Amino acid sequence: MSKHSTDFAASSGHIGMLLLRLGLLLILAMGLSACASLQGDHDVKPLKPLPIPAEPESLAAHAPNGAIWQAGTNVSLFSDNRANRVGDLITVLIQENSSASNNTNTAINTSDSLSAALTNFFGIVPAFGSVAGTPFSPSMGANSAQKYGGTGATSQSNTFKATLEVTVVRVQGNGNLVIEGSKEVLLNGGHEYIRVAGVVRPADVTPQNTILSTQIADARVEYSGNGTIYSAARMPWLARFFLSLWPF
């Protein structure tokens, strides 16, 4: 065997060993990253309560004088347990059902006809010559027709049912209660959020301290979320960009 063949075989073996080492290092790095990601997915952080929209007013301290009812304690002897102060809680029964439909039908048909002839001009029959033995006729006729038809239909239906505890954040001058509350649920696929805000009448609050979402004025009811499930149902940003430019 020649010297060049021996050197070529040695260099080839050296390159093969380098590639093998690089492959092993790559597999090791991928394994470590996978372990780190799995460990991160299973790390459960302690739950923190959501911020309270409004702090309740503290009960005024009073000197013990032996009386059952004390003035300034912000407690009435004749009121029920329904919410009526800042910081009180109300249970909102979300029962939203909405449906809408619209149908349109348009039909347009137009037709026009025009004809004119000149057979006598001051007693003289006009003549415009002829072509290949066919005389020109001093007459004109035209017909046109247009037809257009279009139909359209749309239908939408939504149902949302949930229960949410909200806080009274403000009492208006007429006694109406401004409420606000939110709920956060952590699932395997991500987070889900429910938020409710609006204005309610104290008379609409039931003795069980509940109220329907349909009885909330200026209501804002939100149900949203994030995570892999919601990302899978969302159109990618590049597809949305090209779709916004597509003229048809």
Side-chain angles (χ1 to χ4, degrees):
M1 182 179 295
S2 63
K3 181 180 180 181
H4 294 287
S5 300
T6 305
D7 294 340
F8 179 76
S11 61
S12 299
H14 185 65
I15 294 174
M17 292 297 295
L18 289 177
L19 292 177
L20 181 59
R21 291 178 181 178
L22 290 176
L24 292 176
L25 291 176
L26 181 61
I27 293 174
L28 180 60
M30 292 176 63
L32 292 176
S33 63
C35 293
S37 62
L38 289 175
Q39 183 179 1
D41 291 340
H42 288 82
D43 288 341
V44 180
K45 297 181 180 179
L47 290 177
K48 296 182 179 180
L50 296 176
I52 300 176
E55 291 286 346
E57 299 177 359
S58 61
L59 300 179
H62 60 88
N65 54 11
I68 297 177
W69 181 82
Q70 300 290 335
T73 57
N74 204 16
V75 177
S76 176
L77 290 177
F78 306 101
S79 64
D80 53 19
N81 294 325
R82 290 183 295 182
N84 56 13
R85 298 168 300 178
V86 174
D88 289 348
L89 302 180
I90 300 178
T91 303
V92 177
L93 306 178
I94 303 175
Q95 297 181 4
E96 297 293 331
N97 297 300
S98 61
S99 60
S101 61
N102 185 20
N103 295 310
T104 59
N105 190 357
T106 303
I108 300 175
N109 295 310
T110 61
S111 61
D112 299 321
S113 178
L114 175 64
S115 62
L118 182 62
T119 58
N120 191 300
F121 185 74
F122 294 100
I124 300 174
V125 178
F128 294 96
S130 61
V131 175
T134 303
F136 284 131
S137 176
S139 61
M140 180 180 61
N143 294 310
S144 66
Q146 295 180 0
K147 184 178 181 180
Y148 170 78
T151 59
T154 179
S155 178
Q156 183 176 355
S157 178
N158 298 305
T159 301
F160 181 24
K161 293 184 179 181
T163 303
L164 179 65
E165 200 82 9
V166 299
T167 305
V168 178
V169 297
R170 185 164 58 89
V171 179
Q172 296 180 342
N174 59 355
N176 290 340
L177 309 176
V178 181
I179 60 173
E180 181 181 345
S182 61
K183 178 189 292 186
E184 179 180 350
V185 181
L186 175 61
L187 302 175
N188 292 333
H191 290 76
E192 291 187 353
Y193 305 94
I194 302 177
R195 298 184 179 93
V196 174
V199 182
V200 302
R201 295 191 313 162
D204 293 333
V205 182
T206 65
Q208 291 76 27
N209 204 41
T210 62
I211 190 171
L212 295 175
S213 61
T214 55
Q215 295 175 308
I216 301 177
D218 299 329
R220 297 187 62 182
V221 182
E222 177 185 351
Y223 178 76
S224 60
N226 57 25
T228 56
I229 297 178
Y230 292 90
S231 299
R234 182 177 175 84
M235 183 182 295
W237 65 268
L238 188 59
R240 296 198 305 270
F241 172 75
F242 285 111
L243 188 60
S244 64
L245 300 179
W246 187 251
F248 303 105

